[in-house]
Amino acid sequence: MHELSIAQALVDQVEEARQANNGGRVISVRIRVGDWQQVVPEILTSYFGYLAQGTPLEAARIVIDPVAATARCYDCGRVFAVEDIFLICPDCESRRCTLLTGKELELTEVELDD
Amino acid sequence: MEIKVLRNILEANDRAADEVRANLAAAGVTAFNLIGGPGSGKTSILEQTIPRLRDRRRVGVLEGDIATTRDAERIAALGVPVVQLLTGGGCHLEATFVARGLDELGMDGLDLAFIENVGNIACPAEFDLGETAKVGVLSVTEGHDKPAKYPLLFHEISALVLGKIDLLPHTDFDVEAFESDFRGLNPYAPVFPLSCRTGEGVAPFVDWLERVHEGTEIPVRRPRDQ
């Protein structure tokens, strides 16, 4: 259900971008979604379509670029892909690690018809 | 025509959260966002902690629920101000809603505010409410595998209450497996095992809440932007 809040925020931002560019209809919307955000793409897309009904956004295609989780170890500095959920350094086994990527939820591109 | 933009999709929520944070700081209120599954014991924990704080601290509560005012009634029975936030189906609280709730509650004259989120251990983890600290609530009856299954929440919290420990002998909850998984996500947050039935372990949690309020304990907050 959090997809509904995300979809609403996205619709608002796409509409702002569209108006700022004197745009017509929106053809596609590109977003980056981190693995750790637990967003279900189909649900987000379907809520977007629901909220955009009857607006210049209604036919927009949602393109989702997933972002894999990566982390950095505070102790040895190693940057690593978080493959099995846990933030444990594969080199020194330290648990003092910080997520670098994986929590993204970003609008990156809006395509308008000319 | 392709337009490049780079915007955090939740920036409206995050802006509202920053405003809540500033208002709380100005009023000297410490706010705890309680996040746990339905039936994990969030309201029971408040029923245990509030009477122990009430004499020394002025406490207010925002009760997030999908429906009914039952939890708010339980809190009101403790004699502290409470505002029920009904999401009408929404699975989590958002910052604008919390801002309105805090206005209604009245921050002047409060020391501590508890925000009991909607019962859910997935969605609430993503929404900054402007709180001082997120506190996770997990009961042993839910199983030790929850940190691994809901990594974002267990990563984001500043403290974890492990509830219903009086039931440990009757469950398959593996404390070692839980600790190992949890520390793989969050090496910093203190864990408070407690039982609302027996009262065991409640005092150390109350002490932590007070230390955070006094500023002698700084809760670890995970950065919103990486």
Side-chain angles (χ1 to χ4, degrees), chain B residues 74-152:
Chain B
R74 285 171 63 184
I75 299 301
L78 302 172
V80 297
V82 56
V83 170
Q84 178 82 55
L85 302 177
L86 289 181
T87 64
C91 54
H92 59 271
L93 293 177
E94 295 188 21
T96 48
F97 204 14
V98 166
R100 287 207 302 274
L102 286 170
D103 282 346
E104 202 177 321
L105 193 63
M107 277 184 277
D108 292 337
L110 281 189
D111 297 313
L112 270 64
F114 292 102
I115 306 163
E116 184 181 332
N117 220 306
V118 179
N120 181 340
I121 56 175
C123 315
E126 288 166 36
F127 293 85
D128 186 358
L129 302 182
E131 71 278 317
T132 312
K134 287 185 171 76
V135 177
V137 176
L138 176 70
S139 56
V140 298
T141 51
E142 294 169 79
H144 56 258
D145 57 350
K146 292 302 168 288
K149 293 179 77 175
Y150 300 89
L152 185 64

Side-chain angles (χ1 to χ4, degrees), chain A residues 22-55:
Chain A
N22 309 310
R25 304 186 66 78
V26 179
I27 295 166
S28 70
V29 171
R30 199 168 194 108
I31 61 175
R32 300 175 78 222
V33 177
D35 273 356
W36 276 40
Q37 284 294 355
Q38 308 162 117
V39 168
V40 184
E42 292 77 12
I43 299 179
L44 180 61
T45 304
S46 108
Y47 277 137
F48 186 95
Y50 167 74
L51 294 168
Q53 264 174 23
T55 75

Side-chain angles (χ1 to χ4, degrees), chain B residues 151-200:
Chain B
L152 185 64
L153 173 66
F154 291 91
H155 176 261
E156 303 288 304
I157 54 180
S158 302
L160 178 70
V161 171
L162 183 62
K164 307 188 190 180
I165 53 164
D166 52 308
L167 296 178
L168 259 181
H170 309 290
T171 70
D172 297 325
F173 191 92
D174 182 334
V175 176
E176 262 179 51
F178 157 76
E179 292 239 329
S180 166
D181 283 4
F182 181 53
R183 290 307 177 201
L185 291 163
N186 193 328
Y188 312 106
V191 175
F192 298 101
L194 59 79
S195 163
C196 292
R197 271 284 170 89
T198 67
E200 182 188 353

Side-chain angles (χ1 to χ4, degrees), chain A residues 1-2 5-6 9-10 13 16-17 21 31 36-38 74 85-88 95-97 99-112 114, chain B residues 1-11 89-92 94 122-123 126-127 148 150-152 155-156 180-181 183-185 187-188 222-224 226:
Chain A
M1 269 295 288
H2 63 145
S5 306
I6 296 167
L10 184 59
Q13 291 188 351
E16 274 178 40
N21 292 278
I31 61 175
W36 276 40
Q37 284 294 355
Q38 308 162 117
Y74 279 121
I85 297 166
F86 302 114
L87 299 180
I88 300 174
R95 288 166 190 246
R96 297 190 342 109
C97 302
L99 265 191
L100 293 178
T101 60
K103 293 206 296 188
E104 293 76 3
L105 209 48
E106 294 163 351
L107 169 62
T108 53
E109 201 178 282
V110 178
E111 189 185 351
L112 304 172
D114 298 309
Chain B
M1 174 173 51
E2 281 169 12
I3 304 154
K4 301 281 180 200
V5 275
L6 184 59
R7 289 184 73 178
N8 166 11
I9 295 171
L10 296 182
E11 72 179 20
C91 54
H92 59 271
E94 295 188 21
C123 315
E126 288 166 36
F127 293 85
Y150 300 89
L152 185 64
H155 176 261
E156 303 288 304
S180 166
D181 283 4
R183 290 307 177 201
L185 291 163
Y188 312 106
R222 296 292 185 161
R224 183 195 291 155
Q226 298 152 31

